[in-house]
C-alpha cells in the first residue's frame, strides 16, 4: 500500500516510485504538511519544525499559554483564511453571519484501493481503459502503464462545526504522481459561500527556489520563464474564463541549481480549463508556499445545506533528476492516464486542415480537389475548418447556426463526406459550439442566451459573444444541433474551437447572489457537453482549440486527446511554443502542422523539411492549399509522411528530451525522442543561425544505453560516447535548415 498511516503519531506517508508526501495531524488536530520530495524512510518529518515565540504571529486559543505554537509559521496542508495564518490561504468561506474567520481541524480519514474520480470534472484515471487496449494490440510501450493507485481522503471540520473539508489524494505509484482535489460538504442548516478554494497547497519549510512559469499571448503561447522567488508573492493566473494564452496552469518550483538533468524540482498541473491562480509566496520565515486552484476573482460559490462542492484536481510530481525527468513523468501520466478512449493508444491520422489553405474561400469542389491531392500524398484525414455553416463567409456572422451551408458547398454534407471517403480519406469538421454572432439566427431568436450584463453594452471579441454554457437548456440546444450535423454524414474528427475570452458574465438562470458561480458553472457545462459528445461518439477524434493554444490544459486533455498548440504555424516560432509546452504536456497532445511559406503569421520563409521536423514533433499534419504545391514539394511531402509513419511510435510514445532551449541555443537547437528501452532515438536539429567558416557543432544525446553500440549514418559509436562526447552535427548550408538523425542500437553479439 502506497499510503501509510501511523495512528499513534497520526502521520500520513504517501509514496510513489520515487517521491514521498507526508502530513501529520498534530496534537491540536491541525493538519501539518511535513514533506514533499525525495522518497525515504517514513520517518516523522515534523521534527524539522522549529517552534518559537514569534511576535505578531498569534496562537490558537487551544494552545493555551504556549506562545511558540502559531499557524502563521507552521507548514500547513490546507490553510484557511482567518485562522491566524496570514499567508495566502487555500480556503476562504463566508459563513451565514457574514464572517470569514475559519479554523480547520482533523476529524477522520479513509484509505481506499484505486483512484477516486470527481463528479463532472476531469481526473487522472487508474484502470487501463479496456476499450482502448482492445483497439490496438499490443499497444506501444509508451502507451502501457499499469498504474496501481490508492486514495486517501482526510476530513477536516471547521471548529464552528458547519462544514467538512474532504481532502482527496490519489497516489499513483508507478506513474510517480500524487493528485489532489478538495470537496467541501455543508452539514449546517444555512448556505455557506466559498469565496476561494485552492486545490493545492504545499509548504516548504526552507530552501531557495526558482519558479518556472509559461506565459504568452495569442500566437505566442507558453514561453518559458524561470525566476528566483523573492520575498512576497509571485503569481500567474487567468480571469478570462479559459486557462488562456497568457499563462498556463502548469508551474514548477525547483532548487536554484536544478538543470534539465540534475536537481530537485516539483511540478504542479491543474486539470481545469477556466480561471486559475498559481501563487508562490516566500514568507517572513523564508518558508515557501505554493497554491494552485480556481482564481478567486470571478468566483463565489454557494454550497447549500447537505450539498457538496468539488474543487478540481491537480497533479503533482517530484523529480530529483531535473526538469527533463519531471516532464517525462507528466508526459507518461497524461498520455496513458488522462487522455481517454481509443485514441490513447490508436495511431492518429496525418491530417490536412483547409484553414490556412483557403480560409473561408471554398466550395465543395475546391475541397474535393484538395482532398484528392491530399490522398495522393498519403494524408489520412481531411478537415473542413471554419466557414461551412450558416452565413459564414467571414468571421463576423453565422456562429451559432449549426446548419450546413449546402449552397456554398454545392452539395450536402453527406455527399461531400462520401466523396472524401471515396478518395480513401477520413473526414473531419470544425465547430465553435460556445460562440455566437449577433448576426445569426440563433442570436435573433435567443439574445438572452449570450453572456451580456443587463443594461451594459457587451464586450465583443472577434465580433462575437459567448453562449451561457452554465445553462443546461442552452447546452442541450447546441448539442442537439451539433449531433444533427454529425449524424448526417460520416465524420471521424471534430475540432472544438473557442475564439475569445469570457466577459460580461451574467446568467439569467441564477439569482443575484449566485452570479459568482457563473464562470465555474460555464466550465462544468463545457465538460458536461464534451463528456456527452465523447460518450455518443466514442470513435471520434476530438481536437481542442482556442484560437490555437488558449485552452491548452490538462482539463481539456481528458476530453480532447490533442489540442491545436498555436495559431502561429511558423516553424521557428513554434520551436519556442512547443519547447515551453513540452514541460507539462506530451508531444502526442500538441497539434502541429506544416503550413505554406512565406508564413501567414511572420512572413518568414523556412525550408519545407524544417516545417516537417517541427510539425512531426507533435500530432503532425498539413495546413495549406495542397493544390498549389509544386511536383517537387509533393514528392518531399510524400517522403515526410512515410517517414513520420515509420517513426510514429518513437515520437509519440518515446521519451522526450529537451537538448537545448531555442531562445538561448547557440546556433543549433535540438531535441530528441528515445525509445524507453534505449534501442533507438531520433535526434531533431534546427540551425537557428549559420555562420560562414563557423565552428563545429556537437549535440550530446540522452536516454541511450551506455554500453551498447549505435549506428548513426552508417557509423558506429558506443552509447556512452554519444551521450558524453556528443554527435558531430552536419553543417547547415542555409538558415533554418534542419536534420532528423536516426540512431539505432546494434544487436548485441
Ligand atoms: C482559430 C483556430 O485556431 C484556427 O485554427 C481556425 O480554426 C480558426 N479559429 C477558424 O476560425
Amino acid at each position: 500500500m502506497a499510503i501509510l498511516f501511523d495512528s499513534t503519531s497520526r502521520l500520513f506517508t504517501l509514496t510513489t516510485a520515487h517521491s514521498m508526501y507526508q502530513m501529520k495531524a498534530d496534537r491540536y488536530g491541525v493538519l501539518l504538511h511535513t514533506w514533499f520530495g525525495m522518497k525515504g524512510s517514513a520517518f516523522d518529518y515534523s521534527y524539522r519544525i522549529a517552534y518559537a515565540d514569534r511576535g505578531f504571529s498569534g496562537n490558537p486559543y487551544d494552545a493555551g499559554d504556549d506562545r511558540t505554537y502559531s499557524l502563521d509559521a507552521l507548514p500547513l496542508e490546507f490553510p484557511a483564511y482567518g485562522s491566524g495564518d496570514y499567508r495566502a490561504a487555500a480556503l476562504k468561506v463566508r459563513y451565514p453571519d457574514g464572517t470569514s474567520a475559519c479554523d480547520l481541524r482533523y476529524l477522520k480519514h479513509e484509505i481506499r484501493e484505486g483512484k477516486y474520480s470527481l463528479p463532472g470534472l476531469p481526473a487522472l484515471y487508474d484502470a487501463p481503459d479496456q476499450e482502448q487496449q482492445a483497439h490496438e494490440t499490443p499497444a506501444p510501450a509508451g502507451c502501457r502503464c499499469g498504474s496501481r493507485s490508492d486514495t486517501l481522503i482526510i476530513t477536516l471540520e471547521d471548529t464552528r462545526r458547519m462544514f467538512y473539508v474532504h481532502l482527496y489524494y490519489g497516489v499513483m505509484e508507478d506513474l510517480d504522481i500524487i493528485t489532489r482535489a478538495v470537496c467541501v460538504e455543508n452539514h449546517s442548516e444555512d448556505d455557506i459561500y466559498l469565496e476561494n478554494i485552492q486545490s493545492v497547497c504545499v509548504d516548504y519549510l526552507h530552501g531557495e527556489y526558482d519558479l518556472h512559469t509559461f506565459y504568452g499571448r495569442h500566437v505566442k503561447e507558453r514561453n518559458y520563464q524561470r525566476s528566483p522567488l523573492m520575498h512576497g508573492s509571485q503569481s500567474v493566473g487567468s480571469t478570462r474564463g479559459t486557462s488562456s494564452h497568457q499563462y498556463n496552469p502548469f508551474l514548477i518550483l525547483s532548487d536554484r541549481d536544478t538543470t534539465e538533468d540534475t536537481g530537485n524540482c516539483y511540478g504542479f498541473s491543474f486539470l481545469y480549463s477556466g480561471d486559475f491562480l498559481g501563487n508562490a509566496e516566500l514568507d517572513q520565515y523564508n518558508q515557501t508556499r505554493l497554491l494552485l486552484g480556481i482564481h478567486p476573482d470571478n468566483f463565489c460559490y454557494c454550497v447549500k445545506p447537505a450539498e457538496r462542492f468539488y474543487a478540481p484536481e491537480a497533479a503533482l510530481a517530484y523529480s530529483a533528476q531535473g526538469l527533463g525527468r519531471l516532464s517525462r513523468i507528466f508526459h507518461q501520466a497524461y498520455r496513458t492516464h488522462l487522455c481517454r478512449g481509443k485514441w490513447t493508444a490508436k495511431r492518429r491520422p496525418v491530417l490536412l486542415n483547409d484553414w490556412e489553405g483557403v480560409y473561408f474561400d471554398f466550395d465543395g469542389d475546391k475541397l474535393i480537389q484538395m482532398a484528392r491531392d491530399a490522398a495522393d500524398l498519403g494524408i489520412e484525414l481531411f478537415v473542413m475548418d471554419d466557414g461551412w455553416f450558416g452565413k459564414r463567409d467571414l468571421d463576423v456572422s453565422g456562429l451559432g447556426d449549426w446548419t450546413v451551408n449546402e449552397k456554398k458547398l454545392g452539395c450536402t454534407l453527406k455527399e461531400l463526406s462520401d466523396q472524401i471517403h471515396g478518395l480513401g480519406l477520413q473526414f473531419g469538421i470544425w465547430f465553435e459550439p460556445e460562440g455566437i454572432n449577433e448576426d445569426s439566427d440563433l442570436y435573433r431568436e435567443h439574445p438572452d442566451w449570450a453572456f451580456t450584463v443587463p443594461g451594459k453594452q457587451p464586450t465583443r471579441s472577434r465580433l462575437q459573444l459567448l453562449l451561457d454554457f452554465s445553462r443546461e437548456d442552452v447546452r442541450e440546444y447546441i448539442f442537439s444541433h451539433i449531433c444533427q450535423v454529425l449524424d448526417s454524414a460520416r465524420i471521424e474528427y471534430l475540432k472544438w474551437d473557442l475564439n475569445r475570452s469570457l466577459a460580461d458574465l451574467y446568467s439569467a438562470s441564477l439569482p443575484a447572489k449566485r452570479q459568482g458561480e457563473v464562470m465555474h458553472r460555464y466550465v462544468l457545462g463545457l465538460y458536461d457537453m464534451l463528456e456527452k459528445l465523447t460518450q455518443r461518439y466514442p470513435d471520434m477524434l476530438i481536437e481542442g482549440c482556442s484560437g490555437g493554444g488558449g485552452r491548452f490544459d490538462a482539463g481539456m486533455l481528458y476530453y480532447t486527446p490533442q489540442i491545436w498548440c498555436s495559431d502561429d504555424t511558423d516553424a521557428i516560432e513554434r520551436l519556442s511554443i512547443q519547447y515551453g509546452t513540452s514541460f507539462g504536456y506530451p508531444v502526442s497532445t500538441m497539434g502541429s502542422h506544416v503550413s505554406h511559406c512565406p508564413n501567414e503569421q511572420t512572413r518568414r520563409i523556412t525550408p519545407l523539411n524544417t516545417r516537417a521536423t517541427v510539425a512531426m514533433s507533435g500530432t503532425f499534419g498539413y495546413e495549406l492549399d495542397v493544390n498549389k504545391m509544386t511536383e517537387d514539394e509533393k514528392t518531399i511531402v510524400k517522403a515526410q509522411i512515410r517517414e513520420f509513419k515509420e517513426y510514429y511510435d518513437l515520437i509519440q510514445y518515446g521519451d522526450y528530451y529537451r537538448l537545448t532551449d531555442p531562445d538561448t541555443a547557440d546556433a543549433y537547437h535540438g531535441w530528441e525522442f528515445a525509445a524507453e528501452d534505449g534501442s533507438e532515438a531520433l535526434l531533431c536539429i534546427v540551425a537557428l543561425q549559420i555562420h560562414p567558416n563557423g565552428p563545429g557543432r556537437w549535440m550530446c544525446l540522452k536516454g541511450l544505453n551506455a554500453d551498447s553500440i549505435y549506428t548513426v549514418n552508417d557509423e558506429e559509436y558506443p552509447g556512452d560516447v554519444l551521450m558524453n562526447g556528443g554527435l558531430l552535427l552536419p553543417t547547415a548550408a542555409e538558415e533554418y535548415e534542419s536534420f532528423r538523425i536516426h540512431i539505432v542500437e546494434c544487436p548485441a553479439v
Side-chain angles (χ1 to χ4, degrees):
M1 179 60 91
I3 300 171
L4 292 177
F5 176 64
D6 180 324
S7 55
T8 317
S9 54
R10 296 200 293 186
L11 188 72
F12 299 90
T13 306
L14 284 43
T15 50
T16 68
H18 303 97
S19 71
M20 192 166 90
Y21 190 104
Q22 197 185 68
M23 295 157 279
K24 177 179 175 144
D26 74 4
R27 59 191 185 281
Y28 302 113
V30 169
L31 191 62
L32 303 176
H33 174 85
T34 51
W35 186 255
F36 176 36
M38 177 78 84
K39 185 175 178 175
S41 328
F43 190 73
D44 181 350
Y45 275 70
S46 66
Y47 80 90
R48 297 162 75 237
I49 299 171
Y51 292 88
D53 180 356
R54 303 172 192 276
F56 291 84
S57 287
N59 319 109
Y61 203 77
D62 44 352
D65 59 5
D66 180 0
R67 290 163 45 155
T68 71
Y69 187 90
S70 172
L71 299 190
D72 204 19
L74 285 169
L76 300 175
E77 184 62 17
F78 201 70
Y81 178 87
S83 62
D85 171 13
Y86 293 90
R87 292 165 287 182
L91 182 75
K92 185 174 183 192
V93 293
R94 187 154 33 89
Y95 284 94
D97 61 7
T99 61
S100 286
C102 171
D103 200 347
L104 298 172
R105 302 297 170 98
Y106 169 79
L107 184 69
K108 59 181 180 177
H109 73 273
E110 183 192 337
I111 296 173
R112 289 186 202 155
E113 269 188 24
K115 163 83 170 51
Y116 66 84
S117 56
L118 297 172
L121 283 165
L124 283 155
Y125 61 86
D126 191 13
D129 187 336
Q130 301 300 330
E131 185 211 6
Q132 140 203 336
Q133 302 297 340
H135 277 278
E136 206 149 306
T137 35
C143 269
R144 282 182 265 117
C145 181
S147 162
R148 212 191 64 78
S149 308
D150 295 303
T151 293
L152 166 67
I153 305 170
I154 300 180
T155 300
L156 311 176
E157 190 181 27
D158 75 309
T159 49
R160 293 173 75 183
R161 306 252 155 115
M162 298 189 80
F163 61 90
Y164 302 122
V165 175
H166 306 289
L167 302 177
Y168 282 66
Y169 300 84
V171 185
M172 309 191 81
E173 204 173 347
D174 307 329
L175 291 175
D176 246 343
I177 289 268
I178 290 179
T179 65
R180 293 186 59 170
V182 184
C183 167
V184 171
E185 181 184 351
N186 183 352
H187 64 77
S188 78
E189 282 165 11
D190 294 298
D191 294 353
I192 285 166
Y193 285 83
L194 298 177
E195 295 188 331
N196 179 18
I197 181 161
Q198 299 295 293
S199 297
V200 173
C201 174
V202 176
D203 274 354
Y204 297 81
L205 270 176
H206 69 87
E208 293 194 329
Y209 297 103
D210 281 353
L211 179 66
H212 308 237
T213 53
F214 304 89
Y215 71 95
R217 54 183 183 269
H218 178 226
V219 290
K220 191 87 175 99
E221 298 87 346
R222 291 173 296 286
N223 299 276
Y224 173 62
Q225 176 172 281
R226 175 175 185 162
S227 52
L229 266 191
M230 311 299 269
H231 282 98
S233 286
Q234 201 165 311
S235 66
V236 291
S238 165
T239 54
R240 295 168 174 271
T242 59
S243 47
S244 88
H245 300 82
Q246 285 69 17
Y247 299 103
N248 195 263
F250 177 69
L251 291 84
I252 301 170
L253 270 187
S254 77
D255 288 347
R256 291 270 156 88
D257 56 0
T258 295
T259 66
E260 270 295 310
D261 302 306
T262 61
N264 294 312
C265 47
Y266 312 80
F268 303 87
S269 178
F270 197 29
L271 281 67
Y272 189 63
S273 311
D275 290 4
F276 78 93
L277 181 65
N279 184 57
E281 180 180 2
L282 180 60
D283 76 5
Q284 55 181 336
Y285 305 119
N286 297 337
Q287 304 176 129
T288 297
R289 170 169 292 175
L290 190 295
L291 288 161
L292 180 59
I294 294 179
H295 201 300
D297 275 11
N298 277 332
F299 179 83
C300 180
Y301 210 96
C302 173
V303 189
K304 298 220 150 272
E307 276 185 5
R308 288 171 161 234
F309 174 87
Y310 287 87
E313 178 167 289
L316 281 58
Y318 161 76
S319 157
Q321 284 123 37
L323 301 164
R325 161 91 191 124
L326 187 75
S327 295
R328 287 187 290 280
I329 293 175
F330 282 105
H331 295 172
Q332 167 84 321
Y334 285 0
R335 223 165 33 208
T336 59
H337 289 75
L338 177 60
C339 296
R340 296 179 296 166
K342 84 172 197 183
W343 294 104
T344 309
K346 192 172 162 59
R347 280 191 171 220
R348 315 240 182 103
V350 175
L351 65 81
L352 174 71
N353 179 302
D354 70 2
W355 179 244
E356 283 199 14
V358 292
Y359 294 108
F360 292 105
D361 186 16
F362 61 86
D363 57 19
D365 286 344
K366 173 66 192 163
L367 299 183
I368 297 293
Q369 274 173 39
M370 287 172 84
R372 189 166 290 122
D373 275 1
D376 274 354
L377 297 173
I379 284 168
E380 297 157 309
L381 162 71
F382 181 83
V383 179
M384 176 171 67
D385 209 280
D386 198 351
W388 55 266
F389 53 90
K391 185 179 132 203
R392 185 76 173 170
D393 288 324
L394 272 178
D395 62 4
V396 298
S397 62
L399 271 187
D401 296 340
W402 300 112
T403 42
V404 179
N405 186 344
E406 293 180 359
K407 200 163 157 230
K408 176 170 180 175
L409 292 183
C411 59
T412 65
L413 192 66
K414 180 168 180 343
E415 285 161 350
L416 179 69
S417 157
D418 285 350
Q419 287 199 64
I420 287 174
H421 282 100
L423 296 166
L425 293 169
Q426 297 169 21
F427 180 56
I429 187 169
W430 178 97
F431 282 95
E432 187 174 349
E434 299 148 87
I436 181 165
N437 283 119
E438 287 154 274
D439 185 1
S440 68
D441 291 341
L442 183 64
Y443 187 80
R444 283 181 280 275
E445 214 175 306
H446 295 289
D448 57 315
W449 284 9
F451 278 136
T452 51
V453 169
K456 173 187 175 294
Q457 299 290 9
T459 302
R460 291 178 176 142
S461 185
R462 209 196 193 199
L463 273 186
Q464 70 185 67
L465 304 177
L466 287 178
L467 287 164
D468 179 357
F469 261 39
S470 72
R471 284 174 61 168
E472 203 175 346
D473 55 342
V474 175
R475 293 198 307 270
E476 266 174 16
Y477 176 94
I478 295 294
F479 186 70
S480 69
H481 281 71
I482 289 177
C483 291
Q484 271 172 33
V485 174
L486 295 178
D487 293 342
S488 73
R490 204 169 133 206
I491 296 170
E492 284 98 352
Y493 163 104
L494 185 152
K495 179 171 168 187
W496 181 301
D497 199 356
L498 167 69
N499 281 295
R500 59 162 295 173
S501 304
L502 275 67
D504 302 304
L505 291 183
Y506 167 77
S507 181
S509 66
L510 289 170
K513 60 183 182 182
R514 302 195 69 164
Q515 289 298 322
E517 298 174 23
V518 177
M519 187 286 303
H520 181 61
R521 285 180 177 274
Y522 179 92
V523 180
L524 293 180
L526 167 73
Y527 289 158
D528 172 62
M529 193 140 149
L530 283 163
E531 183 64 37
K532 288 197 175 109
L533 204 59
T534 53
Q535 297 292 331
R536 183 166 167 147
Y537 303 100
D539 290 342
M540 192 174 290
L541 174 59
I542 307 180
E543 177 154 355
C545 176
S546 176
R551 204 158 51 185
F552 201 115
D553 57 66
M556 285 305 283
L557 288 178
Y558 189 64
Y559 306 96
T560 68
Q562 60 191 57
I563 300 175
W564 181 227
C565 207
S566 177
D567 271 351
D568 189 342
T569 59
D570 175 277
I572 303 308
E573 294 268 295
R574 273 291 184 121
L575 293 175
S576 308
I577 295 169
Q578 295 180 194
Y579 171 82
T581 308
S582 79
F583 280 84
Y585 308 95
V587 295
S588 58
T589 64
M590 296 183 206
S592 194
H593 301 164
V594 171
S595 60
H596 64 80
C597 272
N599 177 266
E600 285 288 297
Q601 292 79 36
T602 61
R603 310 313 296 161
R604 189 186 339 242
I605 296 179
T606 50
L608 182 52
N609 186 46
T610 300
R611 284 176 264 155
T613 302
V614 177
M616 277 186 201
S617 299
T619 57
F620 197 47
Y622 291 78
E623 185 164 333
L624 37 72
D625 186 349
V626 274
N627 299 143
K628 292 192 180 140
M629 283 166 56
T630 64
E631 286 311 309
D632 281 355
E633 285 173 332
K634 286 181 181 169
T635 308
I636 295 172
V637 166
K638 274 185 197 166
Q640 289 172 349
I641 294 172
R642 269 200 309 274
E643 188 183 335
F644 176 70
K645 289 179 183 171
E646 196 181 313
Y647 296 144
Y648 187 93
D649 287 353
L650 179 57
I651 294 174
Q652 301 294 313
Y653 310 121
D655 287 339
Y656 178 82
Y657 291 92
R658 290 179 292 268
L659 302 182
T660 58
D661 173 344
D663 296 321
T664 55
D666 173 25
Y668 280 28
H669 171 52
W671 65 98
E672 180 197 339
F673 303 95
E676 214 182 342
D677 62 1
S679 58
E680 58 171 333
L682 182 69
L683 174 63
C684 300
I685 300 290
V686 177
L688 296 173
Q689 301 155 24
I690 55 165
H691 302 289
N693 193 23
R697 305 280 175 194
W698 291 264
M699 199 67 74
C700 289
L701 285 137
K702 296 183 184 177
L704 305 181
N705 296 318
D707 298 334
S708 296
I709 301 294
Y710 287 85
T711 312
V712 190
N713 296 330
D714 298 329
E715 301 280 346
E716 291 193 347
Y717 302 88
D720 66 324
V721 168
L722 289 173
M723 292 193 287
N724 302 327
L727 184 70
L728 178 63
L729 300 176
T731 302
E734 58 171 331
E735 198 173 34
Y736 308 134
E737 188 172 349
S738 75
F739 307 99
R740 298 185 290 276
I741 303 169
H742 194 207
I743 296 137
V744 185
E745 189 183 36
C746 301
V749 251

